[in-house]
Amino acid sequence: MKFFIDTANLDQIKEAADLGILDGVTTNPSLMAKEGITGDKNILAHYKKICEIVEGDVSAEVIATDFSGMISEGKKLASLAENIVVKVPMTRDGVKAISYFTDHGINTNCTLVFSAGQAILAAKAGATYLSPFVGRVDDVTWDGIKLIEEIVSIYSIQGYITEILAASIRSPLHIVQAAKAGADVVTCPLSSILGLFNHPLTDIGLAKFLEDHKKAAK
Ligand code: E4P
């Protein structure tokens, strides 16, 4: 399973990249706004900076909601760097745009996916990645991980090659569950990635090893 970080914060992206386990980045308009990045020029420049830090795929989301707007915005984004993936919402125009980008060799990430039916549409359009939002499904008391399992099963039966990117991850447990469910990629906040390191027995064990080493050296 590939690990992406879900942020537009350059320090956090660098920190995750330094761990040596980062495969890519996803952003969205809310995450860009959180970093105070506004205006077309600044947004494009910020994506370029992210692409300089990370070799893997970087998802950059279109703001336009109509087909032709998505196409011109997506082309601009895709021309920034080879590893840009154009992120497109799951709408009628979005699916049409994904199909267009697929035909023109531009990688896409279909975002805001909440059902197996939507996952089928995105795969049919040739999306490179599909982003089901695990945490937001949980928020409305449905089961986000069950949705991942369902999509994994359908894609395997149908032989769809779109990669399932578990998004809206809220905890280290979600990461483990997404891996178990067969997600191809997980995109998460830095805190969830770092949470995977924690185990009290590791801390206790390491302290004991160092203490024994010190004693033996006396
Ligand atoms: C996916 O690519 C989205 O950017 C993101 O995972 C949404 O997460 P949230 O529900 O925590 O906002």
Side-chain angles (χ1 to χ4, degrees):
M1 185 173 75
K2 289 190 240 175
F3 265 56
F4 288 1
I5 187 166
D6 195 28
T7 184
N9 182 284
L10 298 180
D11 290 336
Q12 289 188 14
I13 294 169
K14 279 182 200 146
E15 191 176 336
D18 275 353
L19 291 172
I21 53 150
L22 190 69
D23 300 300
V25 177
T26 53
T27 62
N28 64 39
S30 304
L31 293 171
M32 292 292 275
K34 198 172 158 195
E35 299 307 314
I37 318 293
T38 52
D40 287 1
K41 246 182 156 185
N42 293 336
I43 289 173
L44 295 179
H46 197 76
Y47 282 135
K48 269 200 136 174
K49 281 184 201 161
I50 295 176
C51 291
E52 280 159 18
I53 302 171
V54 180
E55 272 180 32
D57 285 345
V58 173
S59 287
E61 189 160 342
V62 295
I63 306 294
T65 54
D66 64 300
F67 175 74
S68 57
M70 285 179 185
I71 299 305
S72 62
E73 225 182 288
K75 280 182 176 170
K76 240 184 248 167
L77 290 168
S79 70
L80 289 175
E82 276 196 359
N83 52 338
I84 284 279
V85 172
V86 179
K87 205 171 177 191
V88 179
M90 168 41 72
T91 59
R92 281 189 186 207
D93 283 43
V95 166
K96 221 173 121 183
I98 288 168
S99 179
Y100 175 94
F101 288 133
T102 305
D103 290 345
H104 289 78
I106 293 174
N107 288 335
T108 53
N109 175 355
C110 182
T111 190
L112 290 166
V113 170
F114 294 92
S115 76
Q118 292 178 328
I120 291 171
L121 288 172
K124 290 288 294 173
T128 316
Y129 296 105
L130 175 91
S131 290
F133 277 32
V134 173
R136 293 196 198 183
V137 171
D138 287 357
D139 287 344
V140 293
T141 71
W142 292 344
D143 189 334
I145 293 296
K146 277 234 168 73
L147 174 62
I148 300 290
E149 288 169 356
E150 193 182 7
I151 298 169
V152 167
S153 157
I154 292 169
Y155 275 24
S156 143
I157 292 166
Q158 296 298 328
Y160 292 145
I161 55 165
T162 297
E163 290 188 51
I164 301 162
L165 191 169
S168 185
I169 292 294
R170 303 277 166 79
S171 67
L173 179 61
H174 265 162
I175 299 176
V176 174
Q177 289 173 322
K180 229 170 138 185
D184 299 292
V185 192
V186 72
T187 188
C188 20
L190 182 62
S191 58
S192 296
I193 299 175
L194 297 180
L196 292 174
F197 282 98
N198 300 335
H199 200 293
L201 291 180
T202 304
D203 301 339
I204 293 166
L206 183 59
K208 179 82 170 82
F209 283 158
L210 296 178
E211 192 190 309
D212 289 346
H213 171 76
K214 229 187 205 171
K215 270 189 216 157
K218 273 183 191 166

